[in-house]
């Protein structure tokens, strides 16, 4: 095999391999969940959805818990 062909093959394989790499910015660890006071159930048939942190605009944002009906 010619030297040019080998070099082209190696460059092509490296390009294919590197095209699958995804670089994602590092996130800080999720903070521990907050302690929530669960209010009184508004009516029978509701269940409590606990609050949680959500990643938004490069920071963890607390989404408070709420009652959800069926």
């Amino acid at each position: 095999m010619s030297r040019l062909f080998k070099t082209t093959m190696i460059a092509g394989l490296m390009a294919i391999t590197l095209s699958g790499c995804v670089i994602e910015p590092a996130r800080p660890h999720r903070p521990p969940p907050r302690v929530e006071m669960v209010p009184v159930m508004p009516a029978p048939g509701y269940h409590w959805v606990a609050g949680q942190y959500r990643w938004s605009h490069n920071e963890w944002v607390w989404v408070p818990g709420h009652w959800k009906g069926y």
Side-chain angles (χ1 to χ4, degrees), residues 12-65:
L13 290 172
M14 288 179 66
I16 290 170
T17 303
L18 293 175
S19 68
C21 296
V22 176
I23 299 174
E24 187 174 312
R27 290 184 189 174
H29 290 290
R30 183 183 309 224
R34 295 182 181 180
V35 176
E36 293 185 296
M37 297 291 293
V38 179
V40 178
M41 186 182 338
Y46 280 75
H47 70 276
W48 177 251
V49 178
Q52 61 183 354
Y53 280 99
R54 178 177 48 107
W55 186 252
S56 177
H57 303 290
N58 293 326
E59 66 179 349
W60 288 109
V61 177
W62 179 253
V63 178

Side-chain angles (χ1 to χ4, degrees), residues 1-15:
M1 294 182 131
S2 72
R3 185 178 186 106
L4 178 61
F5 181 73
K6 285 181 183 178
T7 305
T8 305
M9 285 295 290
I10 290 172
L13 290 172
M14 288 179 66

